[in-house]
């Protein structure tokens, strides 16, 4: 709250009034009321300015002297801040306390960093002193150059180094002495922090990766673009709108805090622009089964004949399934139906605290139950299955269980961006250590769930400039309405995870990597990745930071199937999958190198193909889907797609 108070103080805002000193917010003007004429500048003959509230009066006198008058719009904007501030404080007070372990790294990491620095200072004092002297020298040289340029009245910016940084695209960062000085000093500071972190003697690679990751978080957080006084875009817009952009920004901030029960999570998309089932997620179908954990949707056929073997998609329950059905032109669900398949999709329940004891075994049991229902509905003995992300990991567990039981109901399996080998934790290294996982375990035990808000915050900081600081600047400083972007709308429509399931996944799979080591115990069996022996096709994405393609490849390489196909799509975790052929935007790679000589050899021997991987995978799937039969109608079932569960917000 003190940070909020300090941020608002330059605009005249204060914290809550003391008892007996409160005053009501200024009432809005009545509809149709005539606005008073705009005041002229102080010192000129003019009609009396509209009466200013205490906030605006104090601001005007502090900024321009006693008896000063402000432009009307600016005065009204300052008055609006008071009521917004009270709303913000009330919203922040609704924030539920979390276990300390999910808020920051534990003391062991700080102790490790401190010990490493003291060791460096004791053993290589000249290196530490050299770093400091270098930093001081760069800073003093920078100051001297700026002072000399200011004295000459000219500023010649230094040549740009490194890749273009979108944060500093405003021309004033180069042309204006103040902003150019701030930007260059920020880069000097950032380089000094990076060098200090990299110089630490850290025997454990995990510690090194964590310290370097958190150092980068601090560097990104302290960028001058994140502060009003040093953001020329925000200052220019505030002046041009007489403060209106800042007030709209505060309104956006209050809205986000209120919508997230006291948590500050930046809205990435306009929440009012989309309605699931109305303008996104509109493929026709029926809910043909509903349980406590899922709804099963069967989609209406669009062809007279369909492949004999039905197909089911298990989407991740960390998000909602309509990412595969955003709109008709990029809907994988619609595309699959149009290729002549009887398609089923699982819509997972968004769990509340009553699901605290729901575990990985419950989800595997749900997979088996879904398969039973589909085989009954289609009168078939086999089906094809797709698992996306964490649902693909669980699908691999299910296939291992079926193998050990001697059950051959699955004809083929497809994995989208799926990890089964967690040996290299990649960008999640910072979060998958004992301090954070223990904090999640405590949080789950206390609340019954790992909340969508915590997961959204975690995933966002993996790309902080794109998903936290950049959107915050546009929304809170520039006062812009979030864009009407369907993918970002979906990204903000997260789901909770059941507490027991989240801990089992993080402990047994991510931390201990049991599925590829000693085996993951579930439902009375010890499951191993080598038990996955059905024909399979795996699609990974080249720049995926959630499920890096190399890790996905290594998991597939350890599967026991003799019929394995691996496709590498360009782009990331979502755009690489939601990549319809009509867009011709991202290509893909295939390779005949096999799985015996490592992922780099596979890539070195790969061929790039233009356009989407959908068609290539479609050809593979058709070979495993049997002959054509008359299309199957789902009937009315329990109601139309996309069902009920998809509308439940966390």
């Amino acid at each position: 709250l003190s940070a909020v108070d300090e941020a608002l103080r330059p605009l005249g805002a204060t914290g809550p009034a003391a008892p007996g000193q409160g005053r009501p917010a200024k009432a809005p003007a009545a509809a149709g009321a005539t606005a008073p004429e705009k005041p002229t500048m102080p010192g000129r003959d003019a009609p009396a300015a509209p009466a200013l509230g205490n906030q605006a009066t104090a601001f005007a006198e502090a900024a321009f002297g006693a008896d000063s008058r402000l432009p009307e719009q600016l005065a009204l904007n300052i008055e609006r801040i008071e009521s917004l501030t009270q709303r913000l404080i009330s919203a922040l007070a609704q924030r539920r306390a979390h276990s300390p372990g999910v808020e920051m790294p534990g003391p062991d990491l700080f102790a490790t960093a401190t010990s490493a620095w003291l060791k460096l200072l004791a053993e290589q004092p000249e290196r530490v002193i050299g770093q400091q002297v270098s930093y001081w020298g760069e800073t003093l040289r920078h100051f001297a150059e700026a002072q000399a340029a200011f004295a000459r009245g000219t500023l010649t910016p230094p040549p740009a180094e490194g890749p273009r940084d979108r944060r500093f695209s405003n021309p004033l960062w180069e042309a204006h002495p103040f902003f150019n000085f701030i930007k260059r000093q920020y880069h000097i500071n950032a380089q000094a922090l990076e060098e200090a972190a990299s110089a630490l003697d850290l025997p454990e690679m995990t510690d090194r990766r964590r310290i370097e990751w958190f150092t980068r978080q601090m560097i990104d957080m302290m960028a001058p673009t994140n502060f009003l006084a040093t953001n020329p875009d925000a200052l220019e817009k505030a002046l041009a709108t007489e403060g209106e952009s800042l007030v709209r920004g505060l309104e956006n901030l209050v809205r986000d805090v209120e919508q997230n029960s006291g948590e500050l999570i930046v809205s990435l998309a306009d929440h009012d622009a989309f309605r699931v089932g109305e303008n996104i997620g509109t493929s026709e179908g029926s809910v043909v089964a509903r349980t406590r954990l899922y709804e099963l949707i069967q989609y209406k056929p669009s062809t007279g004949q369909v492949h004999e073997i039905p197909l089911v998609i298990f989407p991740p329950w960390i998000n909602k399934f309509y990412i595969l059905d955003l709109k008709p032109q990029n809907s994988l669900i619609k595309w699959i139906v149009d290729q002549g398949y009887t398609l089923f999709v699982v819509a997972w329940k968004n769990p509340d605290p009553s699901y605290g004891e729901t575990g990985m075994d419950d989800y595997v049991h749900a997979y088996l139950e879904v398969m039973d229902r589909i085989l009954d509905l289609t009168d078939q003995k086999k089906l094809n299955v797709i698992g996306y992300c964490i649902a693909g990991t669980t699908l691999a567990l299910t296939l291992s269980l079926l193998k050990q039981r001697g059950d051959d109901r699955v004809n083929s399996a497809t994995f989208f961006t799926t990890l089964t080998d967690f040996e290299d934790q990649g960008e999640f290294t910072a979060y998958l250590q004992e301090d954070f996982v223990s904090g999640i375990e405590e949080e789950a035990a206390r609340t019954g769930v790992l909340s969508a808000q915590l997961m959204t915050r975690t995933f966002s900081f993996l790309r902080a400039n794109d998903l936290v600081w950049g959107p915050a600047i546009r929304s809170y400083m520039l006062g812009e309405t979030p864009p009407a972007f369907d993918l970002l709308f979906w990204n903000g429509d997260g789901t909770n995870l059941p507490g027991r399931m989240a801990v089992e996944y993080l402990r047994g799979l991510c931390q201990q990597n049991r599925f590829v080591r000693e085996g993951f115990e579930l439902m009375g069996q010890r499951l191993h990745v080598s038990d996955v022996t059905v024909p399979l096709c795996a699609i990974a994405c080249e720049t995926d930071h959630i499920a890096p393609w190399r890790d996905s490849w290594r998991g597939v390489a350890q599967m026991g199937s003799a019929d394995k196909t691996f496709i590498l799509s360009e782009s990331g975790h979502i755009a690489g999958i939601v990549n319809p052929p009509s867009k011709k935007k991202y290509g893909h790679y295939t390779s005949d190198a096999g799985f015996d000589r490592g992922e780099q050899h596979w890539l070195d021997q790969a061929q790039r193909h233009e356009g989407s991987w959908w068609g290539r995978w479609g050809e593979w799937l058709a070979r495993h889907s049997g002959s054509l039969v008359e299309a199957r109608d789902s009937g009315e079932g329990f109601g139309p797609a996309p069902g009920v569960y998809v509308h439940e917000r966390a």
Side-chain angles (χ1 to χ4, degrees):
L1 295 180
S2 62
V4 173
D5 183 58
E6 288 298 322
L8 299 176
R9 198 178 298 278
L11 293 177
T14 62
Q21 296 179 342
R23 54 186 181 272
K26 184 173 180 179
T34 302
E37 294 182 4
K38 185 175 180 180
T40 58
M41 294 298 293
R44 299 182 182 178
D45 294 332
L52 301 180
N54 294 337
Q55 296 272 8
T57 300
F59 179 89
E61 292 184 354
F64 306 113
D67 300 323
S68 297
R69 292 191 296 272
L70 294 177
E72 179 186 349
Q73 185 60 51
L74 181 57
L76 294 175
N77 285 335
I78 293 171
E79 287 299 305
R80 287 162 60 193
I81 288 175
E82 183 175 11
S83 63
L84 287 169
T85 303
Q86 299 303 320
R87 279 179 57 194
L88 178 59
I89 293 171
S90 298
L92 289 170
Q94 302 302 312
R95 184 179 186 271
R96 295 184 295 270
H98 297 301
S99 299
V102 301
E103 301 286 6
M104 66 181 69
D108 288 348
L109 183 65
F110 293 100
T112 297
T114 301
S115 298
W117 188 84
L118 291 173
K119 183 174 183 289
L120 181 67
L121 182 62
E123 296 178 357
Q124 303 180 55
E126 70 284 353
R127 186 174 182 180
V128 176
I129 294 173
Q131 287 178 340
Q132 291 298 315
V133 170
S134 176
Y135 171 69
W136 294 338
E138 286 293 322
T139 298
L140 291 173
R141 183 182 301 110
H142 176 213
F143 176 77
E145 290 173 353
Q147 189 177 42
F150 182 75
R152 293 192 304 269
T154 61
L155 175 65
T156 303
E161 298 179 1
R164 178 177 175 271
D165 192 333
R166 290 179 298 174
R167 295 176 297 177
F168 300 104
S169 58
N170 190 305
L172 289 177
W173 287 113
E174 300 299 330
H176 193 285
F178 171 75
F179 291 112
N180 184 262
F181 179 86
I182 292 295
K183 185 190 77 167
R184 291 184 62 195
Q185 187 61 47
Y186 168 68
H187 287 149
I188 292 171
N189 295 347
Q191 182 178 0
L193 284 171
E194 289 174 341
E195 291 177 353
S198 64
L200 297 178
D201 184 6
L202 297 165
E204 294 293 331
M205 183 55 65
T206 295
D207 291 333
R208 172 165 299 283
R209 292 174 73 171
R210 295 192 87 197
I211 287 173
E212 289 178 351
W213 190 85
F214 283 113
T215 300
R216 171 48 55 188
Q217 294 299 313
M218 289 188 287
I219 291 171
D220 291 343
M221 179 178 65
M222 297 307 296
T225 48
N226 294 340
F227 300 89
L228 175 61
T230 51
N231 186 315
D233 293 305
L235 291 172
E236 286 178 331
K237 191 163 187 180
L239 288 172
T241 63
E242 295 184 340
E244 177 67 20
S245 60
L246 296 178
V247 179
R248 288 200 305 265
L250 184 55
E251 289 173 341
N252 292 341
L253 172 64
V254 172
R255 176 206 62 212
D256 285 348
V257 175
E258 288 178 339
Q259 287 181 347
N260 291 285
S261 303
E263 297 280 354
L264 177 52
I265 298 177
V266 188
S267 290
L268 301 180
D270 184 354
H271 293 286
D272 298 324
F274 301 99
R275 293 288 185 272
V276 180
E278 296 180 14
N279 56 359
I280 54 175
T282 58
S283 291
E284 290 187 75
S286 301
V287 176
V288 294
R290 178 178 294 135
T291 72
R292 186 171 182 268
L293 197 56
Y294 66 85
E295 290 179 324
L296 180 62
I297 299 171
Q298 180 178 350
Y299 283 91
K300 182 178 179 180
S302 60
T303 56
Q305 290 185 312
V306 296
H307 288 276
E308 181 180 21
I309 297 177
L311 176 66
V312 58
I313 299 177
F314 293 101
W317 51 92
I318 197 170
N319 293 111
K320 294 183 178 177
F321 78 90
Y322 65 85
I323 184 60
L324 301 175
D325 190 34
L326 289 176
K327 48 194 173 187
Q329 55 266 41
N330 66 356
S331 169
L332 180 59
I333 287 175
K334 182 179 185 303
W335 184 86
I336 290 174
V337 171
D338 288 344
Q339 306 312 302
Y341 290 94
T342 302
L343 178 64
F344 296 82
V345 174
V346 176
W348 298 104
K349 174 74 173 180
N350 193 346
D352 57 38
S354 69
Y355 285 74
E357 288 304 312
T358 299
M360 289 295 294
D361 55 343
D362 294 294
Y363 281 91
V364 171
H365 178 77
Y367 277 49
L368 300 176
E369 190 176 77
V370 164
M371 293 178 190
D372 286 338
R373 291 177 184 271
I374 292 173
L375 296 178
D376 287 342
L377 287 167
T378 59
D379 195 25
Q380 293 293 308
K381 294 182 179 180
K382 288 182 177 290
L383 77 167
N384 293 322
V385 294
I386 300 172
Y388 191 174
C389 192
I390 188 176
T393 307
T394 310
L395 175 59
L397 294 172
T398 306
L399 293 173
S400 174
L401 179 67
L402 290 173
K403 172 70 174 180
Q404 294 191 26
R405 290 180 173 180
D407 190 328
D408 65 351
R409 71 178 75 179
V410 173
N411 193 57
S412 76
T414 299
F415 298 97
F416 293 166
T417 63
T418 292
L419 293 179
T420 50
D421 184 350
F422 294 86
E423 193 67 36
D424 186 346
Q425 297 169 349
E427 295 195 41
F428 284 94
T429 299
Y431 292 116
L432 288 177
Q433 306 315 307
E434 190 59 30
D435 47 7
F436 273 113
V437 175
S438 293
I440 290 172
E441 193 168 15
E442 293 173 7
E443 182 78 5
R446 186 172 61 85
T447 65
V449 296
L450 176 57
S451 72
Q453 288 82 6
L454 283 176
M455 287 187 288
T456 298
R457 187 179 69 181
T458 299
F459 283 104
S460 294
F461 275 98
L462 294 176
R463 292 290 183 269
N465 285 329
D466 293 330
L467 297 178
V468 179
W469 306 120
I473 290 168
R474 292 189 292 273
S475 186
Y476 305 152
M477 288 193 197
L478 301 178
E480 296 177 359
T481 300
F485 188 6
D486 54 2
L487 192 150
L488 291 179
F489 172 85
W490 166 86
N491 187 73
D493 189 12
T495 59
N496 301 322
L497 291 184
R500 181 163 71 89
M501 173 265 140
V503 173
E504 289 172 344
Y505 176 78
L506 292 172
R507 292 281 190 203
L509 293 171
C510 298
Q511 275 193 323
Q512 299 164 7
N513 203 20
R514 292 180 191 166
F515 193 41
V516 301
R517 293 178 183 171
E518 69 272 22
F520 186 80
E521 292 190 9
L522 195 74
M523 299 175 70
Q525 303 287 342
R526 187 180 291 270
L527 309 178
H528 195 273
V529 69
S530 61
D531 295 326
V532 180
T533 58
V534 301
L536 64 89
C537 180
I539 294 89
C541 299
E542 190 175 22
T543 58
D544 192 338
H545 65 288
I546 304 297
W549 80 265
R550 294 176 183 274
D551 302 324
S552 178
W553 188 97
R554 285 195 295 271
V556 172
Q558 297 174 75
M559 293 178 180
S561 174
D563 180 0
K564 293 187 287 194
T565 298
F566 190 85
I567 299 173
L568 179 60
S569 173
E570 292 178 335
S571 195
H573 192 70
I574 300 300
I577 297 297
V578 184
N579 180 29
S582 60
K583 294 183 69 173
K584 299 181 180 180
K585 189 172 184 180
Y586 302 116
H588 62 281
Y589 298 86
T590 60
S591 176
D592 296 326
F595 295 86
D596 296 328
R597 298 178 60 182
E599 69 275 10
Q600 188 58 49
H601 177 72
W602 183 95
L603 183 61
D604 292 340
Q605 301 298 314
Q607 300 84 42
R608 183 185 182 277
H609 309 277
E610 291 289 338
S612 172
W613 56 268
W614 288 13
R616 189 173 303 276
W617 169 71
E619 294 172 359
W620 178 91
L621 182 62
R623 295 195 297 271
H624 296 85
S625 298
S627 58
L628 296 177
V629 299
E630 186 177 349
R632 306 174 177 105
D633 190 355
S634 62
E636 294 184 3
F638 293 87
V644 175
Y645 287 172
V646 73
H647 297 291
E648 297 174 344
R649 298 188 67 89

